[in-house]
Amino acid sequence: MKIVVITGSPRKKGNSFAMAEAFIEEAERCGHTVRRFDAAMMKIGGCHACQTCFKTGKACSFDDDFNTIAPEILEADAVVFTTPVYWYSIPTQIKGVIDRIYSFCVAGKDIAGKKCGLITCCEENDMTVMDGVHIPIERSAALLKWDVVGEVLVPGVLNEGDINQTDGCRQAAELAHKF
């Protein structure tokens, strides 16, 4: 499969990055082709709701790095989002990508049938803290007619390396086998 991984953390040595790397390594070991985009290191704005998606030949008329990611999503068999929870929600760094997936709907692009996965973590130990990330991803996938094949939700990690005190990286690697 062709899998696009989109990360949302600005911390290159952070916990969600570690899980993303574990997923990617295992997915490649399984024979999948993986293309990774670190949204926090790219210039991606929010949706302008202008409804001119794909009219310029690119996904978005407002030309930024989303137009690099969009063709890869279009061609992918699967999309995996990896991100920490910021203030009980999806971080800005990846939210622009998620919002602008709307461009495929506006333009009538057939992107149904893709597989989708989520890898996320949060500081608190309460699993419901991750609702602000996994519920929007699940609903977006349902709207797009994507099949959510698995989620890795890891609580109780904040500082770089905290993920090593959990089984989060192992869970992320196991997720690769669902694709």
Side-chain angles (χ1 to χ4, degrees), residues 2 5 25 30 54 64 66 78 83 91 97 118 122 127 134 137 141 144 149 155 165 179:
K2 290 173 67 176
V5 174
E25 286 175 19
C30 290
F54 285 93
D64 64 15
F66 177 73
T83 185
V97 174
L118 172 65
C122 67
M127 292 294 285
H134 85 91
I137 295 294
L144 296 166
V149 298
Q165 306 307 313
F179 290 89

Side-chain angles (χ1 to χ4, degrees), residues 59-119:
C60 185
S61 300
F62 291 84
D63 196 18
D64 64 15
D65 289 335
F66 177 73
N67 285 329
T68 303
I69 299 172
E72 297 293 332
I73 292 173
L74 192 58
E75 296 300 319
D77 301 303
V79 179
V80 176
F81 299 99
T82 69
T83 185
V85 174
Y86 277 16
W87 286 100
Y88 308 99
S89 188
I90 298 169
T92 299
Q93 289 90 339
I94 196 171
K95 186 71 163 82
V97 174
I98 294 166
D99 287 352
R100 287 167 72 187
I101 289 173
Y102 174 63
S103 64
F104 298 114
C105 300
V106 170
K109 301 288 184 184
D110 183 14
I111 60 169
K114 295 183 188 303
K115 294 187 182 299
C116 181
L118 172 65
I119 300 170

